Structure formats: structure tokens, C-alpha cells
Amino acid sequence: MAEEVQIDKQVFHDRLGQFVSAWKADKRSGDALFSGVGSIVILLGKAEENAIFQKNNAMHFWLLGYEFPATLMIFTTETLYVVTTVKKAKHLEPLKGGKIPLEILVRGKDTEQNSKHWEKCLDVIKAAGTKVGTIAKDTSTGPFADDWKKAFGDISKDVEEVDISVALSAAALSAKDENELRSIRNASKACTLLMTEFFVEEMSEILDAEKDVTHKTLADRIDKKIDDGEFFKKIPSDFSVNQLDWVYGPVIQSGGKYDLKLSAMSDDNNLHAGTIIAGLGLRYKSYSSILARTYLVDPNKSQESNYKLLLSIHETVIKDAQEGVAVKDLYNKALGIIRTKKPDMEKHFLKNVGGGIGIETRDSTLTLNGKNTRILKDGMTLCVTTGFSDVPNPDPQDKTSKTYSLLISDTVRIRRDAPTVVFTNAAPSDLESTSFFFKDDVEEEQKEPKAKAKKDPKVGAVASTNITKTKLRAERNTQADEGAEARRRQHQKELAQKKQAEGLERYSEAIGDQNGVAQKKFKRFESYKRDNQLPSRVKDLVIVVDQKAATVVLPIMGRPVPFHINTIKNASKSDEGEFTYLRINFLSPGQGVGRKDDQPFEDSNAHFVRSLTFRSKDAQRMQDISEQITDLRKNMVRREQEKKELEDVVEQDKLTEIRNRKPARLENVFVRPAMDGKRIPGEVEIHQNGLRYRDHRGNNIDVLFSNVKHLFFQPCTHELIVIIHVHLKNPIMIGKKKAKDVQFYREATDMQFDETGNRKRKHRMHDEEEFEQEQEERRRRAALDKEFKVFAEKVSAAGTDENVSVDIPFRELGFGGVPNRSSVLMQPTTDCLVQLTEPPFTVITLDDIEIAHLERVQFGLKNFDMVFVFKDFHRTPAHVNTIPVESLEGVKDWLDSVNIPYSEGPLNLNWGTIMKTVIADPHQFFADGGWSFLAAESDDEDASEEEEESAFEMSESDLAVSDVSSEDESDFDDDASADASADASLDEESAGEDWDELEKKAKKKDRDSGLNDEEEESGRKKKR
């Protein structure tokens, strides 16, 4: 091991120079820190098995990076003298030659020579001055330390010993450089990882399973975990597990017996489900970090209140720990909070709120108590520890919970003119994260919903005028609709004007894509960066298909020339006589008119190689090469398509699981789209920042609240399933497919119900049992709706920070249509138009809609189509086709109520061409009237109808002439006139007969024809 010691010479001299410079500066300013000492003695005795880091070995680590036992260091402002053994001296020799001279005195077996070294050291001390700096509480032991203490005793009367601990801390150890801070940061990451990912998991499992595990056993499990390299892979790559070591604990305490000192140990008592204190400290490259948390299991109100008080004190101390603040002010500030809020808790508060941390686990000169006058400086690192000890519990859960203690510890760094950095903040300390609830949850009583503020009926998705008793326009009150129609037309006119103004404002300059399509960029492909990456076979000057590099290497003019597969259009083989020809066609400008052939080129006027032809007598090899090129081309096209398809797929953040209690859970549900294409039941859980669906095979689907755009609950009324549907902002991968909608559902029908009946058939007959079945079906559906709705509301409450709210479709406003392949019921919600029953699902956000256009609206057609144009013009318009014409007025009312401008026309429009025109120059499009051309089309249709109607309007004189001419020129005979109703060609006598006479004539005619007898006979049969 000795040969492996490598001391950084640059760091050694930098830190030694820094220390001596601070010493000299203090001498010039009045010896306030170093107390006027002329020399400083640092003695380190034999190596201890369980070494406690103090100022002496801390100075060794600070200067050398290692601990050199049996070594004496004597510092003066001019030279550093080191007395050590031969082996250690070899490692120190390379350090000579710095700004401050280093003199090494080698101690061996020669007693006389060793005495001379002591004499020289004593002479140096006396020559430097009468004051010598030493460490007051020096615990060095061993023969070497004893010899020095004996030698130093001879001059102890001639010099004055001064405790130099504060000066060592202030000038050397307390303020850390960047390398030291990095080590402390890595130690803190390891601490938080052990606490959050291992201890909390182990503790939760033990308590949940009610196992009997002792504190010591649990602590041993944590102890062994630092040897698990796989566990610490979550920390960045520069982290080395071999550099980790324990400095504190791990200490687990519960069950009413607590020791909040750093010297505490885990005892043999079982882990108790009450107040659990866990503390651990790790050293990384000699630099320490300490973390402690208190976990409350089923806490009462008093415990929660005291923990909140402690947390507020802890956060205040960290916040106020700024550069220039006196240490005592931090402690006094903490006491002030206690005296203000809960004076009776002062006697339980700790005597300090932490101390300095670094190479030493606790810097005794930097203890954060009410008497320490030291000033905090940039680069200092502290272990802030706040706690209450032995607090009486007014409402104990059991006999071991009569008293409890609370403790929070974090490692922090002081910064200049910036907030304090908490290295261990990855381990949450808030009450919600540290409280565990393992008792059975009691269902909360349903609170009465708060009265909602009244909304403008034009803004909400449900307007009172939209709900009608019938879908048939003929059965509605047309007179009442005339006023509503006029108001709707006026409102639509206002919406159209507003939309036009918004378009002109949004596209104030002529911007857009060329010809409606974004210009393609020239792509560069690189096959090889260096010559040595070419396949070895190219030296034979043969055609080589390199699958790995997606390249075809062709021999041209005696040289291998690589061509990336994306530059090749295709390859073909042909046979002519004894030779086989391989033709390779390349992509070049002007080759084709298809969309795929429209490739961009950097310089389309350059000369291009269209094709290359190779000849060979080996027909099989040419065939193989042709197939390889074709397959490589297909694979590359497929990969590009997959890559393009997954461009909008995002990788979500990690789901933060709830570990301190059982998460809210909805069991026995199915998910769509199904994982692996198989329909397997599972359960949905609500965690801190999202949902997790877990099936019985252990497969998970995580949906974060930050990625939820809409949350829907659809009851099973008139449906076969009850649904909780999540529409995402960005697609996620489910299995091997991307999905923007995730749906959790359960079937409303009881598949195991026995339709044939069993024992009940013997006792109950006819409709009584069927009625009971219907009642049971209603109760089951109502219970299912309630269960899913309550869960959806819990999801909404958990995602409040991300504005997740539950939306319910309004079935009363629904209308049939075909958004994809099949005819479904489209249902409006407050924010969307949805179809959630059959995949593929349809979710159209109302705020994303620019305008709606109704197509095929003309007399005689039974259906019409609806098109939604989105505000993002690059997005393909959404179609809902084949809507029954009976729903036309309801659709118009709904569109008007949600402030969506609409227009209508008799024909289907080519929306691809229209959107290309809009995208090409949006400014010019709106300058030319915008969407008014759609309204103009419907206005022209109305105008043509009016013209047709006006063609029948005549003056009175024309009407009289037409009456005469119609009588003279009638082509109908008398019989045809008699059969027609309200005939104008009857003579005056017949026209003058009243109804009674006409009825008598009709009966007489019926008797003559025998029809009356048949009617009477049929009437008698009906009476029977």
C-alpha cells in the first residue's frame, strides 16, 4: 500500500502557503487569531483502529491527503519541519523545493540520532518565540508521542503553550475549496441515496409486514449496503464506492429511548411503529456529510404540531446561515422562534444547532451555540442539526410512546451573496414525506360541493338553450327559435370579426413557409471518420456492403469509395450472356416527380453521378450484393420512419412514489392501449407526482401530472364500461407503441351472472326475479360510477399543482358522427369534444380550435360533416363525418355557446390545399379576408334560395291574368279534377254544397258499392 501513496505537490504547497499567509497577516493585524505564536506543533501518535478525526490528523489530510502516524510537524512562518520514519520520509522528499522550505528529519533506531532531532526541534521552537501553538485536547498516544512529550517537557517552563485549534479551523480547515466541496457533495449524495432508496424502503416493509427486526439488525443492513457498487450507480460516473467510509452510525432509534448525540449507537430493541429517528454519516475522500431524519408513524396532532415547529426552526437556521453572520445569532434566532410559538418546548430544545463539518465530523471550534462568536464565511460547510429531546406525548398511541424525540440534520454550504446550499436536500424532510400511516384508512364523509360561481352561458360548454326535448327540428317551436336564430347569427358575426382581427394581429408581417411546406434541409451523411474504420476487405477492391456503417464501398479507379445507403436510390441485377451486370442508381436532382424523390441538394447545379454499373461472371455474388443493398435500404427507410414517428415522444421525469403510506388505489381495472396487446387486469395508484398502472405481471405504466392535458370521467350510464381517461400533452411509449391517450376502465356488466337462475327459480316465478335483477344492476352501476368518480377526484386533487381537473362528458349534448372509421357518439365536455368509448379515441380541445365548418348542409341530404381547423395551421384539420341532419341545430347551438365561429356550405372542401395556402402566407390570407370565404359560400347559397322563392311572387294584376289563363289552358279533364283536393275547376253548384250534403252523398255511394257492409262486419269482429 505504501507504494500507492501519491501526494499532490501543487495542492500541498498551495495550502501550506495559504496557511502561512493567513498567519503572517494575523501578525500584522494584531495577533487576534493566532495569539502571537511563533511556532505551531502538530503531533500525531500511533494509528488508532477506530480513529476519531481531530485537528492533528485533519491537518495531515488537509496538507498531504493521507494520515502519517508517528509524525511531528513544527510550523514556523519561514519553514516546515517534519520528524517521521524512513518510509514516510520517502513520500515527503518529492515535496521539497516549494516557496516555503520543507526540512525532513528521519527518525530511526539510533537513539542518539533521535535525541539530536528532538533537540533541533526544541531549538526551532525557542528561536521562534516564547509562545508555541499546540492542540489543547491532544489525545496522541504511542512510543513516538511519549518521547516527544518527554522532550518537550524539558522546555515547557521556558515557553507558553497556546491553544491553536481556532486558528487551524479558521485559516485551514473551515473554508473549503472546490475539490473539497465536491467530495462533501458526493458524500451527501451517498447519504441521501441510502436514506431515501434503502432505509425508507426497508423500514416501510418491516412496519407494513409487522416484522420483528432490531435497530442493530437494520443498521447492519445499511452498513453493508455501502459495499454494493450497483446501488450507487445512480450517482455520477466520477463517484467511486471505494472512497466511502462510515463516520456516524448508521443509528436507528425508536420506542421512547433516544440519544441525539453523535456518539449514539443502535440498540437491540425492535423497531417500533411510532417515532423513528434515523441518522447516518459518510466520508468520501476524507470529507464528511451527515444526514438525519425523523419518521412519524400514525402521528397525533401534538406530534405533527411539534414537528412543524422544528421544521420551521430548521429551515430558518439554514436560511439565515449567510456569510458575515455570527454563529451565536443562529442559535438565538432558533430560541426566539420557540419562545414566540411554544415557550414550553424550550427546555426540550438541543443546546446547539450543529457545527462545522469537513475532514472533522464535528469542528469543536465552530459549534453552533449561543456563545460562539465566530463569523461565517464563504466556503464553510456546516452540519445543521435541530431537535427536541424527550418530549412528553399527551396522547400516546401505546406504552412506549409516552415520550418521543425529534431530530433533523442536513449538511449545508455557506455562499457569498447567495442562498445557502443544502447538499442533502434530496432527502425530503417535510411532514407529508416523513409521516407514515399504516392504520386502516377511514372513508371520509362526502362533503357538500361548494356553490360554483355562475358562468356566462355563452362561455360554458352547457348552455340552457342547448338541451332540447327532441332532436327533430319539425317538433320544435319554430316561432321561439326565430329569435334565438337571430341572436346566434349576430353572435357568430361578432366572433368572425374578432377572429379576423386576431389573425391580422398575430400575423402582422408576411411570414410563412414556401409553397405551404417547410423547406427541406440538406442532410449530410458520414460513413467513416478515419481510413482505418473501413472494412478490411476493401483492399481486395471488391464491392463491400458494410451493414454496421450503413455504407456500400465501391471500387472506382483502383480506390475504395464509400457511399452511404441514403445516397443510393436502388440496385438492380441483369444477366447478359456469361456476364452479370449490377446497376446502382443514386439520388440526384430532377430524377422523379414523386414526393419521395423530391430530395434537397446543396448545389443542384453541380454534376451528379446518376448510376454506376459493375460487371462480373459471378452471378451469385452479384445477386447477393443486390439483395444486401436492397435490404439495407429497406432497413434504413424503416428506421427513419420509426424515428420520425417517435419524434414527439417525450421521456417523462421519474415518478416519485409515496412511501410513507399506502397510495390511493383503484383495483381490477383494464388499460387501453393494452400492454403487449393482451387484456390483463391491474390496479392504478396515485403517487406524489403522477399515476402508476401496474398489471398482475408486474408491467408498469407511469403518467406524470405534468404531462396530463385533460382528465375525463365517463360514467357507465347507457354504456357497457365506466372510464377514467387521461389525454396527454406529449405521447409516451406503452410497450413498443406511442400513445397520447391512456384509459383505465372496468366493465359495468356482471359477466358471471347466471341468466338461467338457480335455487331462486323454485321459489320465485315470472317477473319478480327479473325486476330484482334490474334493481341490482342499477345499484351495481351506481356503485361503480361512484367508485370511479371518487378516484378521479382524488387524481384531480393530487394534481392540483399541475392544474389537473376532472371533466365529464355531457351526454345530453351528444350527437352521432364518424371521426375515424366507425359511427360513435361524440360528446362535448367543458373543455373538449370527445369520444372515449371506442379506440382510436377522439379528444379535441376547444381552446385549440380556430374555426368550425359544416359541410354538405343542403336540403335533401340526411347527413352533414363537420371540420375543425386548429389555431396551429400546421396541424391537420379534424373531421367528424356523417352527422345526422337532425343534430344540425343542436351542433350549431353548442358551437355558438362555446364561442367557436362556424360556417356552413353545401360541398366538401379540399382542406389540404386550403391549409397550404394559409400556411404559405398567413398575413396575406387574413389581409384578403381570412375565413370569410367560408361564410360567403353559405351566404351565396342562402341568396340563391331567396331568388328561387322570389320568382313566385307576382303582382295582383298578373295574378288575375294567370287565373284566367289557367282556366282556359288547363289540360286536366273533369275526372282528374274531381279526384284532386281543393279543385278550382268544379262548377259553382258543386262548389256550393255544404259538408252535410257531401257526407250523405258519400254514404249513399258507399252503400251502392257494398263497401259499408264490409266496414260494419269488420267492426263487429273487433268488438268480439
Side-chain angles (χ1 to χ4, degrees), residues 744-762:
F744 310 108
Y745 71 96
R746 189 187 299 169
E747 293 178 349
T749 55
D750 190 353
M751 301 301 292
Q752 299 177 349
F753 186 76
D754 187 5
E755 289 290 347
T756 61
N758 43 27
R759 299 177 185 175
K760 293 181 181 179
R761 286 286 182 184
K762 299 178 182 178

Side-chain angles (χ1 to χ4, degrees), residues 524-530 533-535 546 548-553 561-567:
R524 294 181 177 273
F525 306 103
E526 187 175 37
S527 298
Y528 307 103
K529 292 184 178 180
R530 295 180 296 276
Q533 293 179 336
L534 287 164
D546 188 353
K548 186 177 180 181
T551 299
V552 180
V553 184
V561 181
F563 292 88
H564 196 276
I565 192 63
N566 283 327
T567 64

Side-chain angles (χ1 to χ4, degrees), residues 630-749:
T630 302
D631 292 342
L632 185 60
R633 178 69 183 162
K634 288 180 180 178
N635 293 336
M636 184 58 66
V637 170
R638 189 184 72 252
R639 283 199 294 268
E640 287 183 353
Q641 288 176 346
E642 291 175 353
K643 184 179 178 181
K644 186 176 181 181
E645 185 180 353
L646 300 178
E647 277 181 352
D648 55 347
V649 176
V650 298
E651 183 176 351
Q652 298 185 116
D653 294 334
K654 186 178 178 182
L655 183 76
T656 304
E657 297 183 52
I658 292 178
R659 304 179 186 274
N660 53 1
R661 66 177 184 274
K662 292 181 181 178
R665 184 180 288 115
L666 185 63
E667 298 178 341
N668 192 27
V669 295
F670 298 93
V671 66
R672 291 195 292 193
M675 291 184 287
D676 302 328
K678 297 179 181 178
R679 185 172 173 270
I680 302 173
E683 57 186 25
V684 190
E685 297 176 345
I686 304 174
H687 291 277
Q688 289 187 15
N689 63 337
L691 302 175
R692 167 164 289 177
Y693 174 82
R694 182 185 291 109
D695 65 15
H696 298 332
R697 294 187 175 184
N699 299 321
N700 293 342
I701 298 177
D702 292 344
V703 178
L704 299 190
F705 294 136
S706 58
N707 194 29
V708 174
K709 188 173 184 180
H710 298 293
L711 174 67
F712 302 102
F713 160 68
Q714 180 173 296
C716 57
T717 308
H718 306 294
E719 299 286 353
L720 297 177
I721 57 176
V722 58
I723 295 170
I724 291 178
H725 188 97
V726 181
H727 183 65
L728 305 177
K729 297 175 183 176
N730 298 298
I732 62 173
M733 294 300 296
I734 297 180
K736 296 181 180 179
K737 296 182 179 180
K738 72 173 185 178
K740 202 170 183 179
D741 292 272
V742 182
Q743 185 179 103
F744 310 108
Y745 71 96
R746 189 187 299 169
E747 293 178 349
T749 55

Side-chain angles (χ1 to χ4, degrees), residues 509-646:
E509 298 177 0
I511 57 174
D513 299 336
Q514 297 296 324
N515 299 323
V517 179
Q519 289 294 301
K520 297 180 180 178
K521 295 182 179 179
F522 176 75
K523 294 182 179 179
R524 294 181 177 273
F525 306 103
E526 187 175 37
S527 298
Y528 307 103
K529 292 184 178 180
R530 295 180 296 276
D531 293 342
N532 58 6
Q533 293 179 336
L534 287 164
S536 58
R537 290 189 60 199
V538 299
K539 62 184 179 182
D540 300 331
L541 292 179
V542 295
I543 299 176
V544 179
V545 180
D546 188 353
Q547 300 283 349
K548 186 177 180 181
T551 299
V552 180
V553 184
L554 304 176
I556 301 176
M557 304 294 290
R559 289 179 175 273
V561 181
F563 292 88
H564 196 276
I565 192 63
N566 283 327
T567 64
I568 298 175
K569 185 178 181 182
N570 54 40
S572 61
K573 179 188 77 73
S574 61
D575 297 324
E576 293 183 13
E578 60 178 344
F579 292 103
T580 299
Y581 293 86
L582 177 67
R583 181 185 177 94
I584 300 176
N585 297 314
F586 297 95
L587 293 169
S588 58
Q591 264 189 317
V593 295
R595 186 179 299 176
K596 293 183 179 178
D597 296 323
D598 187 16
Q599 298 291 331
F601 290 90
E602 203 167 29
D603 183 7
S604 58
N605 295 321
H607 293 283
F608 289 85
V609 177
R610 285 282 181 94
S611 64
L612 291 174
T613 304
F614 295 87
R615 188 180 71 173
S616 174
K617 291 185 178 181
D618 191 347
Q620 186 60 41
R621 172 161 171 74
M622 290 291 104
Q623 178 68 25
D624 293 342
I625 291 174
S626 176
E627 291 177 355
Q628 289 178 25
I629 294 175
T630 302
D631 292 342
L632 185 60
R633 178 69 183 162
K634 288 180 180 178
N635 293 336
M636 184 58 66
V637 170
R638 189 184 72 252
R639 283 199 294 268
E640 287 183 353
Q641 288 176 346
E642 291 175 353
K643 184 179 178 181
K644 186 176 181 181
E645 185 180 353
L646 300 178

Side-chain angles (χ1 to χ4, degrees), residues 69-248:
T71 299
L72 175 70
M73 290 183 177
I74 298 178
F75 296 83
T76 67
T77 54
E78 306 297 332
T79 309
L80 170 60
Y81 298 88
V82 179
V83 181
T84 189
T85 59
V86 177
K87 290 184 179 180
K88 301 182 185 72
K90 290 180 181 179
H91 300 301
L92 297 176
E93 283 293 334
L95 300 179
K96 290 184 177 180
K99 184 178 180 181
I100 298 175
L102 172 63
E103 187 171 337
I104 303 173
L105 304 175
V106 182
R107 180 178 171 84
K109 295 181 180 180
D110 188 346
T111 307
E112 185 178 349
Q113 186 66 28
N114 292 340
S115 299
K116 290 181 179 180
H117 291 331
W118 293 143
E119 289 177 4
K120 183 172 183 178
C121 291
L122 297 174
D123 291 340
V124 168
I125 292 172
K126 287 188 284 186
T130 58
K131 288 186 177 181
V132 56
T134 60
I135 298 173
K137 297 179 181 179
D138 190 357
T139 58
S140 301
T141 59
F144 180 86
D146 294 340
D147 285 351
W148 167 249
K149 289 177 182 179
K150 183 179 179 182
F152 186 74
D154 295 339
I155 65 165
S156 59
K157 296 180 181 179
D158 302 328
V159 294
E160 179 186 351
E161 292 186 48
V162 178
D163 186 8
I164 202 68
S165 299
V166 175
L168 294 178
S169 174
L173 302 175
S174 61
K176 315 295 190 299
D177 59 27
E178 189 55 41
N179 290 329
E180 294 174 293
L181 291 171
R182 189 178 297 111
S183 296
I184 296 176
R185 191 179 293 111
N186 283 334
S188 301
K189 289 179 180 178
C191 287
T192 55
L193 195 64
L194 274 175
M195 183 70 78
T196 58
E197 299 290 333
F198 186 74
F199 169 73
V200 173
E201 290 288 340
E202 289 288 312
M203 179 186 67
S204 301
E205 184 179 348
I206 292 169
L207 296 178
D208 200 15
E210 298 182 355
K211 297 178 181 178
D212 290 333
V213 178
T214 65
H215 299 144
K216 191 173 183 181
T217 302
L218 182 54
D220 290 341
R221 292 181 190 175
I222 304 172
D223 190 356
K224 294 175 182 177
K225 199 64 181 177
I226 67 166
D227 298 325
D228 186 357
E230 290 292 325
F231 179 75
F232 290 99
K233 278 190 175 180
K234 298 178 182 179
I235 301 177
S237 56
D238 61 343
F239 182 85
S240 173
V241 180
N242 298 328
Q243 299 285 352
L244 275 181
D245 194 11
W246 288 104
V247 294
Y248 165 56

